[in-house]
Amino acid sequence: MGAWGPALFSDDLACDVRDDYRELIEDGITDEDAQRRILEFYTEVLADPDEGPVVWLALAVTQSKIGRLNVTVRDRALSIIEQGEDLSRWADEGAKALAGRQAALLKVQAQLTGPQPERRRLRRPWRHVTDLTPGAVLAYRVPSGNFVLLRVARIDDDRVGCAPILSLMGYLGDRLPSQQELDGLPDAMDGSCPLGVSIDAVMKMTVFRVAVHRKKDPDYRDLGFERLAGLVQARPGDDVFNPDAYTHWQGLAETMEWYAGCR
C-alpha cells in the first residue's frame, strides 16, 4: 500500500501530496494555482479507488493546517470519510488495521470541520549555494600526510541547494600536483582507489554528492579541504553518472580518512 501505519501521513503518497503542495506555497504560488497543479499532477492517481481518496484527504488536511482549506477539497474529503471510500484496503489488512484507520479518519474529520487556523505564510527553506564550480579540484590531507584529490564533475542545483558532485581522482602524494599533472590524472572510477584500498572493499564509493543542509553545518574549507587554483576539463559522463554516496563535508572527510586507515 505504500503505507506503514493507519495514520494519514504514515503513507508515502500522502506525504508526497503534502510536501508537493507546501513547496508550491513556499514558492509563492497562489492557493488556487497550487491546488490546481496538485490535482492535475495526481490526475491518474485520483482515478484509483484506493489511492485517490488518499490524495484528497492529504490535500485537505495540508490546506487546513496552514489556513487554506478550500471548500471543494473539504467537501470531497468529508464525503470520502462519510462514505467509507478509504476503508476497503484497510479492511483487507484485518480488524486492527481497519479500526486504526477509522480512528485516524475521525481525527481528519475533526480537523476539517472544526475551527480553522489562521492563514500561515510558508517560507522557502534556507538554501545553501556553493562557490565551487565544475572543474575545480579539492585537495584533502589524510592522516599519513599525503594529499587525496577530488574533482568537481558538476553541480546539482535544485530548490533546496547547490551540491557539488565530486569524483575521486587517481592521486595520492605528499605534494600538490601541477596543473599539467592535474590534467592528466584519471578518475578513480577505473576500479582502483588512490589510497591503496580495493574499491570492492569500500562499495565502489568514488563519486560523492556533498550537500550543506543547515546554516550551522561546516562547508569544505571548515573541514580542511583546499581548493586548488586551476581547473580541469570536463570529462565524458560528468553530466550523467550517479553518485555512489550522498553525504556532507564531515562525512566525506571521515570517508577519506577511513580509506587511508584501510591500507
Side-chain angles (χ1 to χ4, degrees), residues 17-172:
V17 172
R18 176 193 62 195
D19 294 346
D20 290 344
Y21 181 80
R22 287 178 64 94
E23 286 181 4
L24 289 169
I25 299 300
E26 288 171 359
D27 289 344
I29 305 300
T30 66
D31 297 356
E32 295 78 10
D33 199 22
Q35 177 177 308
R36 178 185 59 79
R37 292 190 191 190
I38 292 295
L39 295 178
E40 287 181 354
F41 183 80
Y42 289 96
T43 296
E44 293 185 6
V45 181
L46 287 168
D48 185 281
D50 289 331
E51 295 191 328
V54 175
V55 175
W56 286 108
L57 293 168
L59 178 58
V61 171
T62 302
Q63 288 182 336
S64 174
K65 289 189 174 182
I66 60 174
R68 288 171 166 80
L69 182 57
N70 174 271
V71 174
T72 300
V73 175
R74 179 200 65 191
D75 290 349
R76 181 68 184 98
L78 290 175
S79 174
I80 287 168
I81 296 171
E82 293 164 2
Q83 299 298 322
E85 294 179 44
D86 180 67
L87 296 178
S88 61
R89 63 175 183 162
W90 293 94
D92 294 340
E93 296 296 312
K96 184 177 180 179
L98 177 60
R101 187 62 170 186
Q102 289 172 325
L105 292 181
L106 286 176
K107 293 181 180 179
V108 171
Q109 188 177 49
Q111 172 78 37
L112 301 183
T113 57
Q116 294 299 296
E118 293 293 326
R119 181 185 179 85
R120 286 174 51 201
R121 178 184 178 187
L122 299 185
R123 298 181 181 273
R124 293 188 71 175
W126 175 77
R127 182 176 185 271
H128 177 258
V129 178
T130 185
D131 62 0
L132 294 172
T133 57
V137 177
L138 296 178
Y140 184 76
R141 191 189 293 269
V142 294
S144 66
N146 287 324
F147 291 100
V148 61
L149 304 178
L150 296 119
R151 177 180 66 85
V152 180
R154 68 174 187 273
I155 302 294
D156 270 5
D157 190 347
D158 57 34
R159 71 183 304 274
V160 297
C162 291
I165 306 298
L166 303 178
S167 182
L168 185 63
M169 301 184 76
Y171 179 85
L172 181 68

